Amino acid sequence: QPTPTPTPSQAISVDLSKVENIKGDSKAKVTLVEWSDFECPFCGRFYEQTLSQIDKDYIKTGKVKLGYEHFPLSFHPQAQKAAEATECAKKIGSQDAFWKMHDALFAKGVQGGVTAFKGYAKEIGLDQKKFDSCLDSGETAAKIQADFAEGQAAGVRGTPGFAIVTPNG
């Protein structure tokens, strides 16, 4: 028995100026925005099984850029700090450091919490003292909560959540 075709969600408007973590050609006409949680098994499945194909066929070819927004679910105890770890990586490193931490969190998991995240920072070559200070202080927590609020406004109710954004928003 074939699975029925899912019904698309309602049309929404996404303000791409608020999406800070973008991968791909800035001139790509289409943006795939993902709201995700590093502790979510479904987000992990998307990372493991689908993202590499999208990256190969669409992002690396300049057809699409990927925007990543945080949506840590309250019942995932490591999700908030994992999201903060990516933002700390970006803050003391670069946008590339964000994606390296993103990949480490999905590939290695969030078990071990803050201690593990600090280990990942060392592995990707970040300044350990600056990273630890950033993560311990919670200075990027407001960014994570802003992403969450933007996701809710866009209609995201669970993770992963996606919006395909055309040039007109």
Side-chain angles (χ1 to χ4, degrees):
Q1 179 100 347
T3 305
T5 304
T7 305
S9 300
Q10 66 197 33
I12 58 167
S13 181
V14 176
D15 183 354
L16 290 179
S17 70
K18 294 182 179 180
V19 181
E20 297 175 16
N21 299 306
I22 296 183
K23 181 182 201 178
D25 186 344
S26 63
K27 295 177 185 161
K29 294 188 187 295
V30 174
T31 305
L32 174 64
V33 180
E34 173 190 10
W35 283 271
S36 188
D37 172 327
F38 290 104
E39 198 168 350
C40 165
F42 302 105
C43 299
R45 190 177 308 156
F46 170 76
Y47 174 81
E48 292 170 6
Q49 298 176 3
T50 310
L51 183 56
S52 62
Q53 191 69 39
I54 291 171
D55 189 49
K56 179 179 153 238
D57 293 346
Y58 298 98
I59 299 169
K60 287 183 177 167
T61 61
K63 296 174 186 171
V64 171
K65 56 187 175 276
L66 172 70
Y68 185 94
E69 294 280 271
H70 301 285
F71 205 84
L73 300 172
S74 61
F75 54 88
H76 289 151
Q78 305 301 334
Q80 174 70 30
K81 277 305 208 190
E84 289 177 35
T86 61
E87 293 300 324
C88 286
K90 178 177 73 179
K91 181 175 182 158
I92 64 165
S94 64
Q95 187 70 52
D96 189 49
F98 169 89
W99 291 106
K100 285 180 180 178
M101 182 62 76
H102 165 279
D103 293 350
L105 288 164
F106 276 125
K108 298 177 182 196
V110 298
Q111 299 75 11
V114 169
T115 302
F117 310 154
K118 290 177 179 181
Y120 302 161
K122 183 177 182 179
E123 290 173 18
I124 63 175
L126 295 173
D127 180 305
Q128 194 71 56
K129 188 173 181 177
K130 288 180 181 177
F131 180 84
D132 292 358
S133 175
C134 179
L135 191 58
D136 291 341
S137 72
E139 65 186 78
T140 62
K143 158 66 170 131
I144 310 311
Q145 292 309 306
D147 282 4
F148 190 89
E150 290 163 22
Q152 286 182 311
V156 176
R157 300 289 174 257
T159 55
F162 298 94
I164 299 171
V165 185
T166 58
N168 65 357

